[in-house]
Amino acid sequence: MVRVRFAPSPTGSLHVGNCRTAVLNWIFAKKMKGRFILRIEDTDVERSTQVSEKGIIEDLKWLSLYWDEGPEIGGDYGPYHQSERLEIYRKEAVKLLNEGKACRCFCTQEELEKEKEERLKKGLPPKYSGKCLNLSKKEIDRLISTGKEFSIRFHVDSEDVEVNDLVMGDINFKSDVISDFIILRSNGRASYNFAVVVDDIFMGITHVIRGSDHLSNTPKQILLYRAFNKKIPEFAHIPMITGINGNRLSKRDGTVSVREYREMGILPEALINFLSLLSWSSPTGEEILSVDRLIGEFDFSRISKSPAAFDIKKLLWMNGYYIRNYDKKKLTELILPYFYGKNVENLYDVVDTISDNLECLAQAPEKSEIFVTDNIKFDKNVDKSILKDKEARNILSLVLNKLDEIDDFSEENLTNVLKNIIKESGVKTKNFLQILRLALTGKNQGPEIVKIIKIFGKEKCKRFIEYVLSMNIIN
Ligand code: GLU
């Protein structure tokens, strides 16, 4: 059975790049009817925080990327926090030590720095010299008895390492550039490469899908699999996400945190769709793809090797599509918090009216300003003087009179009523509606006029028109 994992380090909020990794792992697990595991890589005690972990977990739930094993739900391969697996790492490191595949390294940080400098001066790669590999048993015992601290260092064998990556293809790493590396620090903490491999082995991970920033770690990890005599999982390194100019993704390209997109009112469906299409594409060339289609069509062979640019405009466009097609009742619930502290009657109708023009939910208050305000505010760029014309006054009077007569404010009835008044006035529909829109909203553009009248209701419509008709306010 396919078993994949998403292994975030809780050192900040969920980054869109990591989120994309989670999305692809989840999609692949669903496609293969496998299991999606969440493992918290919190070995870096100084930088890991509970707040970050909580935030990442909340964001994954918001995206409906539920895990089959991991924090909160447990599973047969736990614990799922690296901080609770220290004893496992220690035992595994000792195993390699006893088999002669690793050694105790007594070098201090200063000694290692000095050694590195000297090698660089001589034009040699800054590799570990292998000094502690050759210590005699007697010498080791003596150093231990003096209480000298040591770490455990893995000894790299001389065979080259070939990575057969599902995305990046076959890559050969020469073993002579890989330094003997530390697997267990003197403080008892496992190094990243060691903990990951031990966990992936213990958790039966079949496919390691992660960002290509980890590609350079992969040969070291493969060497550890070899040392443990364990099957090497499949690797799939997904190209990095860049900003629109091809540079490293930064704030300038839009925010990089999933939480901020969530707060802006990007819908989870849109974010998943958008992130899946960074590097991957559907064979049909279509861009709007439901989760089911993403699962059905996902294939590693369609992931490009080159970095993908994060285009916020495309995300907003896509989000606009999802907003337009969302269930209006659910959308109203999602939009409600953006109106905190504001009193909006008929929010459902307002949402129904503005949703075609929204790119994110946070725009809702601004787009519904006309429904919230009690006083007409003219846009700076509109020509108010046309409302002084006889024709305009005539139109507005007709509407005002009609408003008194009608009680049915359904869109259907309002459409008919307007049609009749337009006929009666003899004014061109376009001009008529422009005058009416201007008198009701102070703007030249906006939602459909019948929808506006319906939401405003009789009193507000009358008040605004009367206000405009009292010519002294127009200057
Ligand atoms: N914890 C690592 C990170 O957040 C991921 C390790 C891995 O996927 O192998 O970058």
Side-chain angles (χ1 to χ4, degrees), residues 48 67 89 138 144 173 224 282 311 348 373 386 409 428:
S48 300
W67 47 101
Y89 306 138
K138 218 171 135 200
I144 294 176
F173 290 87
L224 288 170
S282 156
D311 182 357
Y348 177 90
T373 178
I386 59 165
F409 269 60
K428 272 197 199 148

Side-chain angles (χ1 to χ4, degrees), residues 368-385:
S368 31
E369 206 192 329
I370 55 167
F371 303 111
V372 183
T373 178
D374 262 340
N375 300 308
I376 185 158
K377 267 190 243 143
F378 286 97
D379 268 0
K380 281 198 191 79
N381 58 348
V382 303
D383 177 13
K384 289 188 284 187
S385 67

Side-chain angles (χ1 to χ4, degrees), residues 219-418:
K220 287 184 183 165
Q221 296 183 5
I222 289 179
L223 287 168
L224 288 170
Y225 281 97
R226 277 195 207 153
F228 281 123
N229 271 324
K230 292 290 178 195
K231 189 172 182 302
I232 299 168
E234 298 281 355
F235 287 100
H237 286 92
I238 316 292
M240 300 314 284
I241 302 177
T242 67
I244 199 77
N245 301 326
N247 304 329
R248 206 188 136 91
L249 182 64
S250 74
K251 269 266 177 198
R252 232 176 304 146
D253 305 290
T255 171
V256 291
S257 116
V258 168
R259 183 56 62 101
E260 284 182 43
Y261 284 112
R262 178 178 163 184
E263 284 168 0
M264 246 168 88
I266 297 291
L267 296 172
E269 295 83 350
L271 190 59
I272 289 191
N273 190 164
F274 173 78
L275 292 177
S276 313
L277 289 186
L278 293 172
S279 302
W280 180 84
S281 62
S282 156
T284 65
E286 284 170 74
E287 303 237 278
I288 301 287
L289 297 161
S290 65
V291 166
D292 284 345
R293 277 195 63 188
L294 289 169
I295 294 170
E297 293 180 14
F298 180 78
D299 185 352
F300 287 113
S301 70
R302 293 199 61 82
I303 298 184
S304 119
K305 286 184 194 171
S306 16
F310 190 96
D311 182 357
I312 175 91
K313 283 202 192 116
K314 182 168 172 184
L315 172 58
L316 289 170
W317 162 80
M318 205 172 252
N319 200 45
Y321 175 90
Y322 277 89
I323 290 176
R324 283 195 294 287
N325 293 283
Y326 220 69
D327 175 77
K328 291 290 175 303
K329 225 166 141 200
K330 276 196 212 144
L331 195 63
T332 308
E333 275 163 31
L334 294 178
I335 284 182
L336 185 64
Y338 294 92
F339 284 93
Y340 183 77
K342 290 197 177 99
N343 185 18
V344 206
E345 286 167 32
N346 315 327
L347 186 61
Y348 177 90
D349 289 331
V350 172
V351 169
D352 185 40
T353 305
I354 62 166
S355 60
D356 280 358
N357 294 315
L358 287 183
E359 283 186 316
C360 65
L361 305 183
Q363 291 170 346
E366 177 202 322
K367 298 268 184 202
S368 31
E369 206 192 329
I370 55 167
F371 303 111
V372 183
T373 178
D374 262 340
N375 300 308
I376 185 158
K377 267 190 243 143
F378 286 97
D379 268 0
K380 281 198 191 79
N381 58 348
V382 303
D383 177 13
K384 289 188 284 187
S385 67
I386 59 165
L387 293 174
K388 285 187 188 167
D389 294 350
K390 208 166 154 239
E391 184 179 87
R393 296 177 64 81
N394 185 29
I395 290 170
L396 296 176
S397 305
L398 282 172
V399 176
L400 194 60
N401 290 339
K402 214 39 161 201
L403 279 170
D404 264 334
E405 288 168 23
I406 55 167
D407 287 314
D408 179 1
F409 269 60
S410 67
E411 279 177 41
E412 210 187 354
N413 189 45
L414 289 172
T415 309
N416 282 332
V417 170
L418 274 187

Side-chain angles (χ1 to χ4, degrees), residues 5-9 18 21 39 41 82 192 196 200 208-211 213-214 221:
R5 81 313 191 265
F6 175 52
S9 307
N18 284 337
T21 301
R39 181 172 75 221
E41 303 213 320
Q82 285 193 330
Y192 156 71
V196 161
D200 286 344
V208 172
I209 307 168
R210 60 185 172 195
D213 49 337
H214 284 296
Q221 296 183 5

Side-chain angles (χ1 to χ4, degrees), residues 98-109:
N98 292 341
E99 289 172 9
K101 293 170 180 166
C103 68
R104 288 183 182 83
C105 175
F106 294 91
C107 299
T108 62
Q109 200 54 40

